[in-house]
């Protein structure tokens, strides 16, 4: 399992690779490897990204625990930089 730590710092979304299992957060997003591969092929401005993300949540391939409302649009804001690191 690879963790990605996502934070809001000084009003801007940031992330780092390597979040640990014991780290605490207001919301935790878990994604299967298959869903991660699918989403990593899409940019956040592609309507297929939103459809794939919503489908993954509905089918259980992406799970958000905690307070997902605290994520707002921030998760989408860091999606493209995360994808840039995985290409």
């Amino acid at each position: 399992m690879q963790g990605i730590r996502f934070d809001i710092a000084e009003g801007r979304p940031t992330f780092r690779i390597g979040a640990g299992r014991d780290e605490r957060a207001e919301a935790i997003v878990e994604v299967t490897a298959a869903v991660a591969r699918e989403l990593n092929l899409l940019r956040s401005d592609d309507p297929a990204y939103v459809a794939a993300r919503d489908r993954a949540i509905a089918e259980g391939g992406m799970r958000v625990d905690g307070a997902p409302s605290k994520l707002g649009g921030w998760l989408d804001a860091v999606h493209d930089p995360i994808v840039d690191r995985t290409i």
Side-chain angles (χ1 to χ4, degrees):
M1 173 185 286
Q2 177 186 24
I4 298 176
R5 173 81 188 209
F6 167 74
D7 292 293
I8 305 297
E10 298 178 10
R12 300 185 65 176
T14 64
F15 72 94
R16 69 173 161 81
I17 305 299
R21 285 186 184 271
D22 295 332
E23 288 189 57
R24 299 287 178 238
E26 292 188 38
I28 297 171
V29 179
E30 293 181 292
V31 183
T32 65
V35 168
R37 283 191 296 274
E38 179 182 7
L39 293 176
N40 286 348
L41 296 174
L42 302 168
R43 306 302 282 187
S44 63
D45 61 354
D46 185 337
Y49 164 74
V50 174
R53 183 198 62 207
D54 291 350
R55 183 176 61 255
I57 292 170
E59 295 175 356
M62 175 184 256
R63 193 172 79 214
V64 180
D65 291 325
S69 62
K70 298 209 179 224
L71 292 175
W74 294 111
L75 185 59
D76 292 343
V78 297
H79 174 76
D80 291 343
I82 291 170
V83 168
D84 291 341
R85 290 187 63 133
T86 61
I87 294 178

